Amino acid sequence: MMQYSQEQLKLFMQAAIGEAHKAATMGEVPIGCVVVDDGVIIGRGHNLRESSHDVTAHAEICAIQQANQQKKDWRLENCSLFVTLEPCPMCAGAIVNARLKSVYYGCADKKAGSAGTLMNLLTETRFNHQVEVDKGLCRLECVKLLSDFFAKIREKTEKD
Amino acid sequence: MMQYSQEQLKLFMQAAIGEAHKAATMGEVPIGCVVVDDGVIIGRGHNLRESSHDVTAHAEICAIQQANQQKKDWRLENCSLFVTLEPCPMCAGAIVNARLKSVYYGCADKKAGSAGTLMNLLTETRFNHQVEVDKGLCRLECVKLLSDFFAKIREKTEKD
């Protein structure tokens, strides 16, 4: 996990946080993601599940699909993925399928987290590829994104 | 799992097999899928990973996305999914996320099968939804799809 300096890692996670803000302004749960190849962001995505009516439109899936098109290759070997919230099983599976090198996530997901919390699909040795995992980069900011969003929803519901 | 008769179940799996043949004619690994809502096919998909350069373009993801658009809803509650090969972790995760009622798969996948072979994400009680699983519907035909495809590739490679 020594490919990027701590400063660079934070800049990539800040880009993912920027994506999450885009989701929030659309009323979507604020989760954002970027895929980085050799220091360059080649895929960006934010959660669009409600507005697109597409259950697969998680931030990670959107960012991976964009990176695939950028490289014209379904393989994202040597790429790193930065996401504000721990991946669910679907996204963890996509990350393994795309053969990403490493994943950095901001905060853990107690309900569906499948990169260390409920299970770890990224390091599962029975699959044909394993991914390095780092958690806690910009954690407080990633937690705040979600807590602010849900606090606003509660506030709105109480007013209604 | 008593929603459909054995005859109906076979017809739905035959539709998934038809999708798999479409993949084969494109040189893609032949895997096909349909999503059924109240007896009606509302989503069809076949593996397009190579031609689309999209790692997420598995048969199940394509069929689920089409079903989502048909219903204008990311939730596919009470729907059933028929797929020729056991889902990988990405597809199993998407099936749980979409809250499908049941999954029927033709043959097991020893390398990545996550609906009973390596693990079972569909019945995992720590997630917020569980899916009924049935394996072996039209199994021999689903096995033959894949073995014929790989035999052809070997034959071609040996000729070259």
Side-chain angles (χ1 to χ4, degrees), chain A residues 97-155:
Chain A
N97 288 351
R99 303 183 189 166
L100 279 143
K101 178 183 167 60
S102 50
V103 164
Y104 296 82
Y105 67 85
C107 61
D109 180 4
K110 286 181 194 172
K111 288 187 185 165
S114 296
T117 299
L118 295 187
M119 60 184 70
N120 196 336
L121 295 173
L122 299 182
T123 56
E124 170 60 59
T125 54
R126 291 174 297 170
F127 298 140
N128 70 345
H129 179 76
Q130 289 78 39
V131 183
E132 296 166 14
V133 185
D134 179 275
K135 64 173 175 176
L137 185 62
C138 308
R139 191 181 73 84
L140 291 181
E141 207 170 339
C142 292
V143 169
K144 194 173 179 310
L145 263 173
L146 292 166
S147 57
D148 284 358
F149 179 78
F150 287 112
K152 239 181 217 168
I153 285 180
R154 273 195 304 274
E155 201 178 298

Side-chain angles (χ1 to χ4, degrees), chain A residues 89-94 96-97 121 127, chain B residues 87-94 112-114 119 121:
Chain A
M90 172 181 75
C91 294
V96 172
N97 288 351
L121 295 173
F127 298 140
Chain B
C88 77
M90 172 181 75
C91 294
S114 297
M119 61 185 69
L121 296 173

